[in-house]
Amino acid sequence: MSKPETNAALHTIDQQSYLQTFKRYPIVLERGKGAKVWDIEGKEYVDALAGIAVNNVGHSHPTVVKALQAQVEKLTHISNFYLSVPQVELSQKLLKISGLDRVFFCNSGAEAVEGAIKIARKYAHSLGKGGTVYSMQGSFHGRTLGTIATGKKAMQNGFEPIPAGFQQLPFNDMAAIEAAYSNEMAAILIEPIQGEGGIRVAETEFLKAVRAFCDQKKVVLIFDEIQTGVGRTGKWFAKDHIDVQPDIMTLAKGLGGGVPIGAILSNQTVSDAIEFGDHGTTFGGNPLACSAALAVLEVIETEDLLTAATDLGAWFKAEVMAWKHPLIKEVRGKGLMLGINFEIETKPLVLEMLHQGVLANATADHILRLVPPLNIQKSELEIVLSTIRSALKELGHE
């Protein structure tokens, strides 16, 4: 059987064989380099989505490629019965840049959040407290049964019974947190910038107040930095913008540069509650994934991509707002985690941009989400800008 050579042909096969959980865009991506990708028919696209904030150093970065090639020739997987050099090196690097004390590696963001909840509950129980975890309205922490319990009701429909011990509170509302407190409150789970929720930035004073509250009440503060971490906002972590240290922080997405890896970082106080056998993973922290993550962190440092993300993000925001387009309300976010808030629904805009050669994403109905590689070139972002304007014109929104 010959290999199908068109986007349409491969999508037909996919629709017949793959569990239909995704509404995919009508292209099949075959290769990428930097901030550009090409589909199976040879069409070029500027990738302003980066695998949903995953490919932080772009596609096929030579440093990452070499690290993967070298590691796969030695060890790919050994299980956590044994230790590997890449795991030790990555542990030390993450603790150094985060200021936290312990790390646990897993395979995804949802797994990292699940593990963080377990650590928080074990610590709370050691203090004689209950195990209720409070998340924020508009949050997204994953699609496992445990993580959908922290999110929107719409994601829970059909999967009842939903695990108990989860409540939601309004985002940026300290009074609501104070009013909800009881001895059952084990942890507060927050994205410093809500991704799926529409690139909504947590207010600095809110996060500082939550930290003080958690210290006073002995409640575990968890920051979900799965999307905001690893340089995305112009600092290693979004927490660094506000100088607030959580008790637990979750990472994934950009950490592996496209290779699946998640991480839970925690301070020593909450970590002391965990005993041998309380948690585990088969694949988490394998040598291949850790080597990829080490290479990603090296590239961000050596190419000064934290500065690049800061400068390019500020420039992009200013350019968009200078249009004074009647349908654009604001540009949210930090660094290269950006959301353009429109008066219109943005799914048609994303599809038109795709037709014109730019990959982006619509979230929270009216937000155009842009999370390109941190090493995207200014000239490539100029293409993104011109394509947004061209797509709006094509849709009749001049």
Side-chain angles (χ1 to χ4, degrees):
M1 177 177 166
S2 61
K3 176 184 174 183
E5 296 181 352
T6 67
N7 290 313
L10 283 166
H11 272 270
T12 297
I13 295 171
D14 178 73
Q15 289 160 12
Q16 294 169 348
S17 58
Y18 198 85
L19 187 65
Q20 294 296 287
T21 61
F22 302 113
K23 289 185 178 179
R24 302 189 198 269
Y25 294 114
I27 59 173
V28 179
L29 297 179
E30 187 172 42
R31 62 188 177 92
K33 188 69 177 175
K36 290 184 177 177
V37 292
W38 289 264
D39 71 17
I40 198 168
E41 296 175 13
K43 182 175 178 178
E44 179 183 285
Y45 304 83
V46 174
D47 186 0
L49 185 59
I52 317 179
V54 167
N55 301 104
N56 281 12
V57 298
H59 299 274
S60 303
H61 193 288
T63 300
V64 179
V65 171
K66 287 178 182 177
L68 288 169
Q69 289 173 334
Q71 187 59 50
V72 81
E73 290 179 347
K74 294 188 291 186
L75 284 173
T76 300
H77 173 74
I78 55 174
S79 89
N80 281 293
F81 284 135
Y82 314 103
L83 191 59
S84 72
V85 172
Q87 188 181 103
V88 173
E89 292 180 346
L90 182 58
S91 298
Q92 291 300 296
K93 182 64 176 178
L94 287 176
L95 296 182
K96 179 180 178 181
I97 63 177
S98 71
L100 289 161
D101 302 311
R102 296 283 175 174
V103 63
F104 180 90
F105 293 118
C106 51
N107 309 286
S108 68
E111 278 187 61
V113 173
E114 290 267 5
I117 290 168
K118 286 180 68 176
I119 296 170
R121 282 183 167 170
K122 189 74 186 294
Y123 174 71
H125 293 160
S126 75
L127 301 178
K129 295 168 64 72
T132 302
V133 174
Y134 286 79
S135 57
M136 302 294 108
Q137 292 173 5
S139 67
F140 178 82
H141 300 288
R143 291 184 181 272
T144 62
L145 272 176
T147 52
I148 65 171
T150 71
K152 294 187 293 186
K153 295 295 182 185
M155 290 189 177
Q156 301 173 7
N157 291 338
F159 301 109
E160 297 85 359
I162 301 301
F166 297 94
Q167 298 289 335
Q168 281 208 315
L169 296 169
F171 192 49
N172 283 325
D173 188 340
M174 191 62 221
I177 291 176
E178 291 171 340
Y181 178 73
S182 75
N183 199 51
E184 288 298 308
M185 183 182 283
I188 296 173
L189 172 61
I190 301 176
E191 296 163 277
I193 303 175
Q194 291 188 338
E196 293 291 329
I199 317 298
R200 298 170 66 208
V201 181
E203 296 168 359
T204 297
E205 292 310 309
F206 170 68
L207 293 179
K208 287 182 177 294
V210 174
R211 175 69 277 175
F213 170 86
C214 288
D215 288 339
Q216 179 187 9
K217 302 294 188 181
K218 289 186 168 51
V219 171
V220 177
L221 177 57
I222 307 171
F223 278 0
D224 179 342
E225 294 237 24
I226 289 162
Q227 192 164 153
T228 56
V230 197
R232 173 56 51 189
T233 67
K235 291 188 180 292
W236 278 120
F237 311 105
K239 72 182 182 67
D240 299 336
H241 289 282
I242 53 175
D243 195 27
V244 171
Q245 185 75 305
D247 300 300
I248 304 175
M249 179 170 67
T250 59
L251 301 176
K253 286 191 179 289
L255 182 58
V259 175
I261 184 172
I264 309 162
L265 283 75
S266 51
N267 64 30
Q268 192 62 49
T269 300
V270 299
S271 301
D272 282 341
I274 295 297
E275 302 173 289
F276 289 118
D278 277 347
H279 199 50
T281 174
T282 296
F283 291 106
N286 68 69
L288 191 67
C290 290
S291 294
L294 283 165
V296 167
L297 298 178
E298 177 189 341
V299 170
I300 291 173
E301 283 188 319
T302 58
E303 297 185 10
D304 195 15
L305 296 186
L306 300 182
T307 299
T310 299
D311 294 347
L312 287 173
W315 169 81
F316 191 95
K317 275 186 175 182
E319 289 290 307
V320 172
M321 294 312 296
W323 296 347
K324 300 187 185 304
H325 196 287
L327 293 180
I328 295 176
K329 299 165 68 174
E330 62 177 330
V331 185
R332 302 172 179 168
K334 292 180 183 294
L336 286 175
M337 183 176 180
L338 300 168
I340 305 177
N341 188 8
F342 283 88
E343 296 280 2
I344 56 171
E345 290 194 6
T346 48
K347 284 184 179 179
L349 177 61
V350 168
L351 191 56
E352 181 57 35
M353 289 173 64
L354 177 76
H355 292 325
Q356 295 190 27
V358 171
L359 307 185
N361 172 244
T363 189
D365 296 330
H366 299 276
I367 306 298
L368 177 66
R369 175 166 53 176
L370 301 165
V371 283
L374 307 184
N375 55 354
I376 192 170
Q377 300 300 301
K378 190 175 183 180
S379 59
E380 293 166 329
L381 280 176
E382 287 172 340
I383 293 172
V384 175
L385 285 167
S386 64
T387 302
I388 294 171
R389 299 198 75 167
S390 175
L392 284 168
K393 183 177 180 180
E394 184 68 24
L395 295 171
H397 303 303
E398 295 190 53

